């Protein structure tokens, strides 16, 4: 028999009602603590920046952001962990150009793909390195250092706590024509300890991890690797000012999520990060550690990393860094 118009409307409501009114709403993000994996040890520049960012995100998003340091293997351990994590926004990576720009040119094989395995969230800071020498080095200025380095080559040693600090030393060797033995460390704090103890000759720390010791005059600083002087070290010239041609090595710190993380979650994280990077206290903190703000959209960060990775291909060739 035929249904009346009224019966048809009731039947339609019974069929569609449960799917529109009783469907469970997706929980708001974040509704539980978020883990931020850092590929360098506590006390490193990346760690100090990540902790400042975690505090800000916690304040803005109302959930805990917990730092987990996974140092070692040029950031490979931490990157692999985050690349294989569930793509739900509850595991993030705050890392540097070491893992996403340099490693692809240094390692023949990586257990992660910087482009395919990660969703860019946003840039945080950009930071140069500082040419530092041990307290007992037989020279105290750049000209004296170059002369002593050439006379002592190849018996000098340099430490590296990141790929950026290593590339800075290798490029200096290539530009000035002397040799040094590489001594790798898990992070900047350990290398700094050995520099102060006269156990290595040269180290390129970042201002964030070295500024306090520089101000205490624990070791001499000779130059900056970036294109301009660091505001907190106004009397320290750049290497290009000192006559070393085409010397511009600047690290960056940025946030990533596992590939496949839902776009609304990435957008929420990026929005909170962008707000944080505009706060006067955060800007003052970044300036204080000799850095500059690198606020980006996810798409801008992806393009920036691609450009930087291309620069690293060229840098590795110039510095003659042997692939692993």
């Amino acid at each position: 028999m035929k249904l009346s118009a009224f019966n048809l409307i009731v039947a339609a409501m019974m069929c569609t009602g449960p799917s529109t009114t009783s469907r469970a709403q997706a929980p708001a993000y974040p509704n539980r603590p978020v883990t931020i994996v850092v590929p360098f040890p506590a006390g490193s520049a990346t760690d100090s920046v990540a902790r400042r960012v975690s505090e800000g995100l916690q304040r803005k998003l109302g959930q805990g952001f917990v730092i987990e340091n996974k140092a070692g293997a040029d950031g490979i351990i931490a990157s692999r962990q985050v690349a294989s994590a569930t793509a739900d926004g509850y595991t993030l990576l705050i890392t540097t150009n070491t893992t996403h720009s340099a490693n692809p040119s240094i390692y023949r094989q990586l257990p992660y793909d910087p482009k395919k395995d990660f969703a860019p969230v946003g840039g945080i800071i950009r930071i140069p390195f500082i040419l530092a020498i041990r307290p007992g080095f037989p020279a105290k200025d750049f000209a004296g250092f170059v002369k002593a380095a050439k006379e002592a080559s190849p018996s000098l040693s340099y430490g590296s706590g990141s790929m950026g600090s290593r590339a800075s030393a290798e490029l200096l060797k290539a530009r000035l024509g002397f040799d040094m033995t590489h001594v790798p460390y898990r992070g900047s704090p350990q290398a700094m300890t050995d520099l102060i103890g006269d156990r290595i000759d040269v180290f390129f720390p970042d201002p964030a991890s070295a500024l306090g010791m520089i101000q205490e005059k624990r070791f001499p600083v000779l130059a900056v690797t970036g294109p301009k002087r660091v505001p907190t070290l106004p009397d320290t010239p750049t290497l290009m000012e000192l006559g070393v041609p085409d010397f511009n090595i600047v690290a960056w710190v940025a946030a990533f999520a596992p590939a496949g993380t839902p776009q609304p979650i990435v957008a929420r994280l990026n929005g909170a990060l962008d707000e944080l990077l505009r706060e006067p206290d955060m800007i003052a903190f970044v300036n204080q550690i000799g850095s500059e703000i690198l606020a980006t959209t996810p798409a801008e960060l992806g393009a920036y990393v691609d450009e930087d990775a291309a620069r690293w291909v060229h840098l590795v060739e110039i510095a003659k860094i042997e692939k692993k």
Side-chain angles (χ1 to χ4, degrees):
M1 72 178 184
K2 293 185 178 180
L3 294 173
S4 67
F6 175 78
N7 287 335
L8 285 171
I9 293 173
V10 171
M13 290 177 65
M14 291 178 65
C15 291
T16 60
S19 64
T20 57
T21 61
S22 64
R23 181 183 297 146
Q25 294 290 320
Y29 173 85
N31 64 357
R32 55 186 171 86
V34 177
T35 297
I36 295 177
V37 181
V38 177
F40 302 101
S44 63
T46 312
D47 175 74
S48 63
V49 171
R51 290 181 188 277
R52 190 71 179 236
V53 168
S54 71
E55 293 169 4
L57 293 179
Q58 179 170 319
R59 175 165 41 86
K60 291 185 174 298
L61 298 179
Q63 281 291 340
F65 280 74
V66 182
I67 298 295
E68 180 181 335
N69 295 95
K70 280 285 179 118
D74 291 326
I76 292 174
I77 298 170
S79 299
R80 180 172 53 189
Q81 176 180 329
V82 176
S84 60
T86 303
D88 57 4
Y90 289 95
T91 304
L92 306 176
L93 180 71
I94 288 187
T95 188
T96 70
N97 51 298
T98 291
T99 62
H100 279 56
S101 296
N103 280 354
S105 294
I106 300 294
Y107 287 87
R108 290 184 174 86
Q109 287 187 318
L110 286 173
Y112 67 91
D113 187 311
K115 193 173 181 69
K116 295 179 181 178
D117 292 341
F118 294 90
V121 173
I124 301 173
I125 65 167
R126 193 162 27 209
I127 186 168
F129 295 93
I130 306 294
L131 169 56
I133 55 178
R134 62 183 175 86
F137 198 87
K140 301 302 177 188
D141 60 22
F142 184 71
F145 163 74
V146 174
K147 181 176 183 295
K150 289 183 176 180
E151 290 173 352
S153 178
S155 62
L156 293 185
S157 61
Y158 78 88
S160 71
S162 68
M163 198 57 72
S165 66
R166 180 186 176 189
S168 296
E170 292 290 347
L171 185 59
L172 190 69
K173 287 166 46 178
R175 288 282 188 259
L176 298 181
F178 63 86
D179 200 7
M180 297 186 288
T181 300
H182 178 214
V183 182
Y185 292 85
R186 290 171 66 87
S188 291
Q190 296 89 342
M192 206 99 62
T193 298
D194 278 2
L195 183 76
I196 293 170
D198 279 323
R199 288 181 286 274
I200 56 174
D201 296 296
V202 178
F203 179 47
F204 281 84
D206 55 80
S209 59
L211 195 56
M213 294 182 185
I214 292 172
Q215 291 169 340
E216 294 171 1
K217 301 187 184 303
R218 303 288 297 277
F219 48 77
V221 295
L222 305 181
V224 178
T225 64
K228 57 186 178 181
R229 297 191 182 196
V230 174
T232 47
L233 298 170
D235 297 328
T236 304
T238 69
L239 281 164
M240 287 190 286
E241 285 181 81
L242 292 170
V244 184
D246 192 25
F247 203 109
N248 180 12
I249 296 181
V250 178
W252 50 260
V253 178
F256 297 84
T261 300
Q263 192 277 332
I265 290 177
V266 172
R268 182 157 170 74
L269 286 166
N270 178 264
L273 182 60
D274 186 70
E275 289 178 9
L276 176 63
L277 294 175
R278 295 176 188 276
E279 292 181 354
D281 286 350
M282 187 66 179
I283 293 171
F285 165 75
V286 170
N287 290 337
Q288 184 181 10
I289 62 173
S291 308
E292 60 180 345
I293 296 290
L294 178 64
T296 71
T297 65
E300 287 169 345
L301 176 58
Y304 182 82
V305 173
D306 288 346
E307 292 172 5
D308 195 43
R311 281 193 292 269
W312 268 91
V313 173
H314 183 56
L315 178 58
V316 167
E317 291 175 352
I318 292 174
K320 298 178 181 178
I321 298 176
E322 187 176 347
K323 288 201 171 189
K324 298 181 181 180

